[in-house]
Amino acid sequence: MSDTGPTEPVDADPVDPAPATEPAATEPLGFGGGADVAADVGETPPTAGPAPPPSPPVTVRARLDEPLHRWLWLVKWILVIPHIVVLVVLWIAFLVLTFIAGVAIVFTGRYPRGIFDFNLGVMRWSWRVQLYAFTLTTDRYPPFTLDAVPDYPAELDIAYPESLSRGLVWVKWWLLAIPHYVLVGIFLGGPRLGLGGLVGFLALVAGVHLAIGRRYPTSIFDFVMGMHRWAWR
């Protein structure tokens, strides 16, 4: 062995020992592991937002279809005479079928779908004629059809009821609706097409304004539309 001199200590930064770590927990394989992981990392599972409001069972829409002819409104009621002839027959069938539907509801609690579709078609047709000839807010001649016409400025839709009260059939069409009938009589003057009443008077005022000022007053349109919505409901 050879003699060696004393060795000088070497300065070195002290190194902290690595902290002891706990072994990572392992997830058991199986169903439901995703929810546990989300809870471990602090994530909040998404919650459902407020439910959207239910859509109304009756939808009545119309638009003021400008520009309008200044004088055409004077003869529109003549131009729709063929429609009125057909609608008289359709409304007679409407009343008969509605009675049959009422009997069916008493026994089954359901409105026969075929009768419902026909009656809705009659109302859609009537609403288009009403808007053209007696509300005067469009110059587009209404089509002869029971079907919906999406591009026409008058639209009426009713959600099909999956079930109806059997007992209410006896009273809701006359007793419970009497206050509404009184107001609708004031609005429309009686006939479903709105030949008189407040709606007819305001349509006449709007027609005169259209002939003189060349525009249909939007305030009259909004007010008349409110009465039409009430009447159709």
Side-chain angles (χ1 to χ4, degrees), residues 134-160:
F134 307 110
T135 309
L136 312 177
T137 57
T138 182
D139 288 342
R140 292 182 58 188
Y141 195 74
F144 288 79
T145 180
L146 296 171
D147 298 331
V149 183
D151 62 338
Y152 196 79
E155 179 184 358
L156 188 151
D157 194 25
I158 301 175
Y160 177 73

Side-chain angles (χ1 to χ4, degrees), residues 9-218:
V10 178
D11 292 334
D13 293 334
V15 178
D16 294 334
T21 58
E22 296 180 359
T26 59
E27 292 277 341
L29 297 177
F31 296 103
D36 295 336
V37 173
D40 289 343
V41 299
E43 293 181 359
T44 303
T47 57
S55 57
V58 180
T59 303
V60 182
R61 296 190 182 95
R63 69 173 182 266
L64 188 54
D65 204 15
E66 294 182 321
L68 296 168
H69 194 281
R70 294 176 61 188
W71 304 104
L72 184 61
W73 63 274
L74 292 172
V75 297
K76 283 181 177 180
W77 65 274
I78 299 176
L79 300 179
V80 296
I81 287 178
H83 280 280
I84 294 175
V85 172
V86 177
L87 284 172
V88 167
V89 177
L90 291 177
W91 274 98
I92 292 174
F94 179 100
L95 296 175
V96 174
L97 291 175
T98 300
F99 174 79
I100 296 173
V103 174
I105 293 170
V106 169
F107 287 100
T108 67
R110 294 177 63 87
Y111 201 117
R113 188 58 188 257
I115 296 179
F116 176 86
D117 292 339
F118 174 82
N119 285 353
L120 177 57
V122 174
M123 290 188 285
R124 282 172 173 158
W125 191 333
S126 301
W127 173 227
R128 291 191 292 262
V129 173
Q130 186 180 44
L131 193 77
Y132 171 81
F134 307 110
T135 309
L136 312 177
T137 57
T138 182
D139 288 342
R140 292 182 58 188
Y141 195 74
F144 288 79
T145 180
L146 296 171
D147 298 331
V149 183
D151 62 338
Y152 196 79
E155 179 184 358
L156 188 151
D157 194 25
I158 301 175
Y160 177 73
E162 296 297 335
S163 63
L164 293 167
S165 171
R166 302 182 184 186
L168 283 177
V169 173
W170 303 104
V171 295
K172 66 180 180 181
W173 65 272
W174 66 279
L175 180 61
L176 300 180
I178 286 176
H180 286 286
Y181 289 154
V182 173
L183 290 173
V184 170
I186 296 172
F187 294 162
L188 302 181
R192 171 61 265 176
L193 290 178
L195 306 180
L198 186 55
V199 167
F201 172 74
L202 290 176
L204 178 61
V205 172
V208 174
H209 190 280
L210 178 62
I212 299 174
R214 302 190 179 191
R215 291 187 63 85
Y216 194 111
T218 55

